[in-house]
Amino acid sequence: MERLPTSPGERPEATDPSPEPAYSATATVNEQGIVTEWSEGARRLLGYAPSEVVGTSAAGLLAEGAGDAAQPDPAGQERWSGTVALRHRDGRRLEVGLIAHRWTSTGGTAKWTVVCAVGGEPDTPWDASLKEWAFTQSPCFLAVFDADLRLVRANAGMERTLSLTEAEMRGLRLPEIAPDPVSDETERKMRLALETGEPQYADAFVRPTGGSAEHGWATSLAPLRDPDGRVRAVYLAAHDRTEIEGDLPQMLVPNVAAARIGTTLDSARTAQELTDAAVPRLADFAAVDLLDPLPRGDEPSSRTVAGPVTVCRTAVRSILEGTLEGTPESQVAVGETTVYPALSPPVECLATGRGAVFAATDPAITRWVAEDPGAAWIAAYGTHSMMVVPLRAGGITLGLAVFGRHQSREPFQPDDLSRAEELTDTAAVSIHNARRYPREHTSTMTLQRSLLPHTLPPQAALVEIASRYLPAGTEAGVGGDWFDVIPLSGARVALVVGDVVGHGIRAAATMGRLRTAVRTLADVDLPPDELLTHLDDLIIHLSADDADRDGSGEAAGGIGTTCLYVVYDPVTRRCTVARAGHPPPAVVSPEGSVYLLDVPAGPPLGLGGLPFETLEVELPEGSVLALYTDGLLKARDHDIDEALDIMFAALARPASTLETVCDRVLTALLSHRPDDDVALLVARTQALHSDKVVVLDLSSDPSVVAHARRHTTDQLTAWGLEEAAFVTELLVSELVTNAIRYGEPPIQLRLIHEDTTLICEVSDASHTAPHMRRARIFDEGGRGLLLIAQLAERWGTRHAPVGKTIWAEQSLVGF
């Protein structure tokens, strides 16, 4: 079998000293899988002439045994790549690397274009020399600075721009190589890249030697990590903005700069991001002042600004930082309050709700400087042009931003005001959201915590139960993940984990409705697949109700919600599972092996009309079940397969308690606050052995009632529960009598003794469910279920594929 090289770094094994030059083979396949085009390169590769291939099925080109797995899925993706086994015209089998692109015409007709690079040696080997050439000869400005921010490498672009050789610059910091305030700003961003490990984008310029103030290089900074992931250096890359921006050297690209404003729900951080975006590219000095106090509520501001206004200085940035101590233009420190006098440009800006451009000689500025000592910076630093722009969002005035130029020769123009307004509008929206978010987040967290179980019920079926819930650490807010542990009849227990789509109060409220519905449906002992079907119907109804009340996109009512429902029976050690679009549970065997249960993948809830299936497996005593939501596997630093491997490794490690297991899983998978909510529920199974469970088969003869009572008394004596015998005899007598009178054979009595509970169950083959009624004075019957309800702590009916079971549960506390 011949295998063709599929990448430039892979050499063919032919011994021919003059290998054939590389070429491309291409073909086109329509949606029906028919070849419609066949290139000369394809003919050279497989030997077929176009007349032999065009119009035939592409599947006929596959080698024997290749199957359909190698073919792209037209409905599933726009691009496919992989290695495919093809059949040459002479019968040879070729392993070929292919890339397939799906194209759709304006008329909706789709086709696949398949390409393959074949053979040949690359003209230039891709080795260390080529990588070195790429670095040194790049037209971009490239440099590497070590952990002390001293230069260790520089390319020809940097040498040419700064008129210095790498040897002359090595060991120096950037401000020492190119002394300038903007170099200080770039170095500050370099230090941030080292400390945070996150890329930075410097809005400052690195000015070339002899260049004008308007000429510069836009800079990106990225941390360089060693194989262990530690940040060891900073990589600096820049390009000449003057060539791109032409005659607009001061142009500020709003969508780029605005993308760096409002990265957090922190008003002070947002204000600082606004000033960072403006200086030095738009202004030489910028300050953000928020009203003190900020308006309360979300109602549009209706007050008229006529007098002095008190503000809090929230952020400042100056081009003089680094050359002079602090931010010299700001007479007020960040965090301090100041008062703008009436009729000053800032107050007029707040009153009108519009931004304005001023020259230092304008009467309004002259009057302001004369009245307000805090405006002395305007004359002191030679400020010749100013802009004042209000911060408004949702009809509410939050404060204002002041911009000044004293180093740049050009005064502010109307275009500059438009750019400043775009930036301040972005910041204002983020600050407004930051004010609202804590209230909504607190309300949502309070609602969600009230709906999640505070304590998990003790179950003899589960020796240990441990759980964890982590809300998302993003601005999206708290989601609708939930979990629950529900005691069922017959000593069984249900484990539930679900994930409601969306975030915020709506998702938390939907989660509460679903959790209540699950508990209600579990109380009537529905099988897992039937329970999910009823839950699916509920989601559809909720969605319809929400759509009637609210036409917004958020009114989904939980469509797309996922759920996993597990029922464990400690008597049979059988586990019954069904899932609706949810990840399957993981199982850890007593020997330590970890695997996922192969539960049929039902659709998410709310789609309607699609069935759910169950899986029933027997679990050895001491098995551990791990139920989780998909947020656990969505960490940013690994894919789903890697996340599963990490989770399996954490689950496989021996642990004394399940609390330790939960901590290990979360520690292994989450290196930071999760981007989505995480719910984790872990349980270890225990079996109820034959010494705790007794079964007695009964005939339909009324005389067996006395036999059932005697058998019950004997068994309670054997268990040391003589004090419970009287009540239990009455319960057994009523249950067996009802089964004989109203049910169908076969009839079976089962007694289950848990640590603190005694359960009496009577099964028969009839599906007719009993119902309790109040008997009249002269009625001879009708009091049995009323008596059972009075004597038992809990009682009920559950249905099986054949027949039903009536059960009664007594508490043994106090006996």
Side-chain angles (χ1 to χ4, degrees), residues 294-299 396 435:
L294 278 170
R296 295 183 177 274
D298 295 331
E299 306 81 15
I396 301 174
R435 295 170 55 244

Side-chain angles (χ1 to χ4, degrees), residues 370-410:
E371 295 178 358
D372 184 5
W377 61 274
I378 298 174
Y381 293 94
T383 301
H384 60 83
S385 185
M386 293 181 59
M387 292 188 297
V388 183
V389 183
L391 273 70
R392 288 179 57 83
I396 301 174
T397 300
L398 302 171
L400 72 152
V402 178
F403 305 93
R405 281 184 180 173
H406 47 68
Q407 300 291 308
S408 304
R409 294 190 300 271
E410 295 294 327

Side-chain angles (χ1 to χ4, degrees), residues 254-312:
N255 59 346
V256 175
R260 302 171 195 167
I261 299 174
T263 59
T264 66
L265 286 171
D266 184 319
S267 298
R269 175 71 178 271
T270 299
Q272 190 62 54
E273 289 169 343
L274 169 57
T275 59
D276 289 346
V279 177
R281 299 185 61 192
L282 179 65
D284 299 326
F285 167 73
V288 174
D289 297 324
L290 298 182
L291 295 179
D292 186 40
L294 278 170
R296 295 183 177 274
D298 295 331
E299 306 81 15
S301 179
S302 59
R303 68 175 183 175
T304 300
V305 180
V309 176
T310 302
V311 296
C312 176

Side-chain angles (χ1 to χ4, degrees), residues 161-505:
T161 302
L162 298 181
S163 302
L164 294 169
T165 66
E166 181 186 81
E168 291 172 323
M169 294 183 286
R170 187 178 296 118
L172 297 177
R173 294 169 43 237
L174 185 60
E176 296 168 340
I177 297 170
D180 192 274
V182 294
S183 296
D184 294 306
E185 172 69 9
T186 304
E187 187 180 60
R188 185 181 72 84
K189 293 293 182 70
M190 291 168 61
R191 185 170 291 106
L192 279 176
L194 277 176
E195 294 173 352
T196 66
E198 299 290 337
Q200 303 293 321
Y201 304 92
D203 287 326
F205 297 138
V206 177
R207 293 197 179 102
T209 301
S212 67
E214 291 81 9
H215 189 107
W217 297 69
T219 309
S220 299
L221 306 152
L224 294 179
R225 303 177 186 272
D226 61 18
D228 296 327
R230 293 174 295 181
V231 177
R232 306 301 292 270
V234 177
Y235 182 77
L236 183 151
H239 63 270
D240 191 348
R241 294 194 60 87
T242 308
E243 295 179 0
I244 297 175
E245 296 173 357
D247 296 331
L248 297 175
Q250 293 294 338
M251 184 177 69
L252 181 67
V253 184
N255 59 346
V256 175
R260 302 171 195 167
I261 299 174
T263 59
T264 66
L265 286 171
D266 184 319
S267 298
R269 175 71 178 271
T270 299
Q272 190 62 54
E273 289 169 343
L274 169 57
T275 59
D276 289 346
V279 177
R281 299 185 61 192
L282 179 65
D284 299 326
F285 167 73
V288 174
D289 297 324
L290 298 182
L291 295 179
D292 186 40
L294 278 170
R296 295 183 177 274
D298 295 331
E299 306 81 15
S301 179
S302 59
R303 68 175 183 175
T304 300
V305 180
V309 176
T310 302
V311 296
C312 176
R313 178 60 49 89
T314 308
V316 292
R317 173 66 64 201
S318 170
I319 200 171
L320 299 179
E321 291 180 24
T323 58
L324 298 176
E325 184 177 354
T327 307
E329 299 97 325
S330 180
Q331 306 295 310
V332 181
V334 171
E336 293 184 357
T337 59
T338 186
V339 178
Y340 284 123
L343 303 181
S344 64
V347 173
E348 290 181 1
C349 160
L350 293 174
T352 62
R354 295 191 300 271
V357 177
F358 299 91
T361 56
D362 287 350
I365 298 295
T366 304
R367 183 173 60 251
W368 180 23
V369 172
E371 295 178 358
D372 184 5
W377 61 274
I378 298 174
Y381 293 94
T383 301
H384 60 83
S385 185
M386 293 181 59
M387 292 188 297
V388 183
V389 183
L391 273 70
R392 288 179 57 83
I396 301 174
T397 300
L398 302 171
L400 72 152
V402 178
F403 305 93
R405 281 184 180 173
H406 47 68
Q407 300 291 308
S408 304
R409 294 190 300 271
E410 295 294 327
F412 287 120
Q413 302 297 324
D415 286 347
D416 295 315
L417 179 60
S418 297
R419 298 182 192 110
E421 288 174 337
E422 291 186 38
L423 295 180
T424 53
D425 286 347
T426 301
V429 170
S430 181
I431 292 171
H432 180 55
N433 290 339
R435 295 170 55 244
R436 297 173 53 194
Y437 178 79
R439 299 196 304 270
E440 294 183 0
H441 183 76
T442 301
S443 300
T444 305
M445 285 294 293
T446 302
L447 173 62
Q448 188 176 54
R449 285 171 178 163
S450 69
L451 296 173
L452 289 173
H454 298 284
T455 59
L456 299 179
Q459 295 289 324
L462 299 170
V463 178
E464 275 188 273
I465 299 174
S467 64
R468 294 290 187 273
Y469 175 80
L470 295 178
T474 64
E475 298 177 14
V478 179
D481 291 20
W482 95 92
F483 61 88
D484 210 346
V485 178
I486 307 171
L488 302 177
S489 64
R492 298 169 306 134
V493 66
L495 307 175
V496 193
V497 171
D499 185 355
V500 176
V501 294
H503 294 81
I505 291 180

